[in-house]
Amino acid sequence: MSLLVVGLSHRSAPVSVLERAALSQDAQVKLLQDTVAAEPAAEAALLATCNRIELYADVDKFHAGVAELSTLLAQHSGVGLDELTPYLYVHYEDRAVHHLFSVACGLDSMVVGEGQILGQIKDSLARAQDMHTAGRLLNDLFQQGLRVGKRAHSETGIDRAGQSLVTFGLEQLADGADVGTWARGKRALVIGAGSMSSLAAATLARAGVAEIVIANRTYDRAERLAQILTEADGTDVVARAVRMDAIHDELTRADVAVSCTGATGLVLTAEAVAAAVEGRVGAPVAVEPPVASDPASGRTGRTGRTEQSAAVRTTAREETPLPPASVGTEEGCPLDLPAAQSGFSVLGEGAVAGMDAATLEQHATWVDKGSTVDRPGTRPASGAADAELITALAATASVTGRVPERRRPEPAPAAPRPEPVLALLDLAMPRDIDAAAHRLTGVRLVDIESLAEASADAPMAADVDQVRRIVSDEVAAFGAALRAAHITPTVVALRSMAAEVVASEIARLEGRLPGLDDKHRGEIAQTVKRVVDKLLHAPTVRVKQLAAEPGGAGYADALRTLFDLDQETVAAVSRADETENDRNARTEGEQA
């Protein structure tokens, strides 16, 4: 059996695909059940967060496992397999271990170094344990992943490389200002009472907001979170709970709203956001014109500045004349045509910018001679006028030495958007807040897609290299331990067989020598046991060492063949070990 992971994340798929592939809680449960029911998989665990969906399994066949896990992900996500496949990644055996350890350390997070992923890994393991889909391999893997993640955070400064997604999102809302200064005195609305929403509420409370309103479908959970926030040390925040049908009224009074629910549809439509802002400012909300989407990426501009800049660039492209079709084939032209700047005629001023006087004169002669020649694919010939212009430029060049480079005018800066009266942070996948709210005047919306764009340029701490070394060392150690553990049942079965042989021979000796007293019988039995132990010691120690090395899995099979060990005896030892491991893993998970 071997470890396999099939998944997609913000690194492999656009947000639009991740959003559609997001799994509800019921779908996650059903996916795990169907995975272990499938033929190639014996164990399964699912790591599903706002920016990744990864299915881990212990499979007996690689290709069949990849096909089955990919099909199951497509079926339960509702995204067609043909559409989903280009965005899926596959990791196998040591690469799968390396991937999970990297994820646990925050190296694969949208915000490098964030520690929230550890809680999500812990929740994934607990769910697999509760559903009995995690066996010895996945229990060991996820437990070790949690330990590696904690080690990375305690031994390095990876925390300095990034923050939680919540903190990063609030920094984007603050738009360069200190989050504490920006949040101080504001009224906040938090929609949802799960782990992400709770973290957002606690972060806002520490940042100094004056009031936090918690809205949740289960009112008791909202009340419990509000009570925790009110009683927390170090904050003076006023927290209260409301039901979900009150969020539109509360949004009118809020300065900042954070939403992260498990809803499959929108929690806040653009119309609801516009109504809230209108109720706040007492005037209709303007809607900025949308920018055309990039058909390849599906992205649109996120702010007015971005959209207007894109419009300027588009207009510039449309107004720029295309180069003549004959560029590169103008016979006798002294220009370096392959290096000619795109968009300028070989006859015009733009083409000769930067030439020295001698080259300009050659070019003027070439243009003048070609004035009566009709060049197919070019503008109508006007050689005399061009020759006069170039001659004038040559005179300038004889004084300055070179014609100055001709530069296109910079696009005019777009008018800045007014200061938002409502800041929205959408951490849900699929999204809770309508993306059209981006274009509402007075609204600043940060969502998973804009966070992904912002984090692409975020600086990484030097400690990341140290964490990568920790991950590599831990992967090697885990692989060695896994391979050594694989041969342990065979070694135990071998020693059990040897003990039975010793016991059988001692019994036979007593039958042949009935007059032996207890002292001599004991000495003989002890001697035989020592001989057997010494004969087995070196081979069993060495076979464990060899099995721990890469490619050492075959030593267990060789040992069973050489000593003709009963396969059922080996399997019984394995089952006993797995039961003990499951018990220990559950205890460790409760303590983590």
Side-chain angles (χ1 to χ4, degrees), residues 40-103:
E43 305 178 30
L46 179 69
L47 180 57
T49 72
C50 59
N51 53 28
R52 74 175 64 248
I53 304 169
E54 295 177 346
L55 186 56
Y56 292 77
D58 185 9
V59 299
D60 57 0
K61 298 174 184 176
F62 172 73
H63 293 291
V66 171
E68 187 65 34
L69 266 59
S70 301
T71 301
L72 288 171
L73 277 172
Q75 287 176 352
H76 290 278
S77 68
V79 180
L81 182 59
D82 290 343
E83 183 180 357
L84 193 64
T85 298
Y87 304 111
L88 292 177
Y89 48 77
V90 175
H91 299 297
Y92 189 55
E93 294 187 329
D94 283 354
R95 291 303 306 169
V97 177
H98 189 281
H99 177 73
L100 180 66
F101 288 2
S102 297
V103 169

Side-chain angles (χ1 to χ4, degrees), residues 102-433:
S102 297
V103 169
C105 293
L107 292 179
D108 197 59
S109 296
M110 186 178 294
V111 182
V112 174
E114 61 96 7
Q116 189 180 1
I117 187 65
L118 285 173
Q120 294 164 333
I121 291 174
K122 179 181 176 182
D123 291 343
S124 297
L125 175 60
R127 179 173 56 238
Q129 289 174 338
D130 291 341
M131 295 179 59
H132 305 290
T133 62
R136 178 174 184 172
L137 175 61
L138 293 184
N139 269 311
D140 289 350
L141 175 70
F142 275 67
Q143 288 290 349
Q144 188 62 23
L146 290 171
R147 285 190 285 268
V148 173
K150 292 175 182 177
R151 179 188 169 193
H153 284 280
S154 63
E155 295 184 12
T156 75
I158 189 67
D159 292 324
R160 295 193 298 267
Q163 321 91 330
S164 71
L165 202 59
V166 171
T167 305
F168 189 61
L170 292 177
E171 286 185 353
Q172 298 304 305
L173 285 180
D175 200 19
D178 175 69
V179 172
T181 304
W182 171 81
R184 190 167 296 115
K186 281 183 166 59
R187 295 185 296 271
L189 170 64
V190 176
I191 305 174
S195 58
M196 184 78 81
S197 298
S198 300
L199 178 60
T203 305
L204 287 166
R206 289 193 301 270
V209 296
E211 180 187 38
I212 296 180
V213 178
I214 310 295
N216 192 56
R217 297 188 187 282
T218 305
Y219 181 71
D220 291 344
R221 293 190 66 180
E223 268 194 323
R224 187 160 56 248
L225 178 55
Q227 182 180 1
I228 292 172
L229 293 171
T230 302
E231 297 174 354
D233 295 332
T235 66
D236 298 322
V237 69
V238 176
R240 56 187 175 89
V242 298
R243 301 187 186 279
M244 286 294 287
D245 56 11
I247 60 174
H248 294 93
D249 292 335
E250 295 296 339
L251 193 63
T252 304
R253 293 186 285 269
D255 301 300
V256 55
V258 180
S259 185
C260 187
T261 71
T264 55
L266 293 175
V267 176
L268 292 176
T269 62
E271 291 76 12
V273 175
V277 176
E278 183 175 339
R280 182 79 173 273
V281 300
V285 178
V287 179
E288 298 178 0
V291 65
S293 299
D294 179 355
S297 66
R299 293 180 179 175
T300 60
R302 296 282 67 133
T303 67
R305 290 186 296 274
T306 304
E307 292 171 356
Q308 293 184 37
S309 298
V312 169
R313 290 193 298 270
T314 302
T315 303
R317 286 195 300 269
E318 291 172 353
E319 294 178 352
T320 301
L322 295 174
S326 57
V327 165
T329 62
E330 297 282 355
E331 185 178 355
C333 179
L335 283 174
D336 180 11
L337 291 176
Q341 192 172 3
S342 175
F344 292 92
S345 165
V346 295
L347 302 178
E349 180 184 355
V352 298
M355 279 188 179
D356 57 28
T359 309
L360 271 170
E361 290 175 357
Q362 293 178 13
H363 191 59
T365 303
W366 174 79
V367 172
D368 188 41
K369 288 181 177 179
S371 61
T372 59
V373 180
D374 219 5
R375 295 179 179 83
T378 68
R379 66 184 184 180
S382 55
D386 283 325
E388 291 176 4
L389 172 62
I390 294 172
T391 301
L393 288 171
T396 303
S398 65
V399 177
T400 62
R402 185 172 293 274
V403 176
E405 294 287 345
R406 179 180 179 179
R407 298 185 181 276
R408 298 186 186 184
E410 294 292 332
R417 297 183 77 178
E419 187 68 22
V421 297
L422 178 59
L424 302 174
L425 178 57
D426 185 359
L427 299 173
M429 184 63 69
R431 70 180 77 235
D432 280 346
I433 303 175

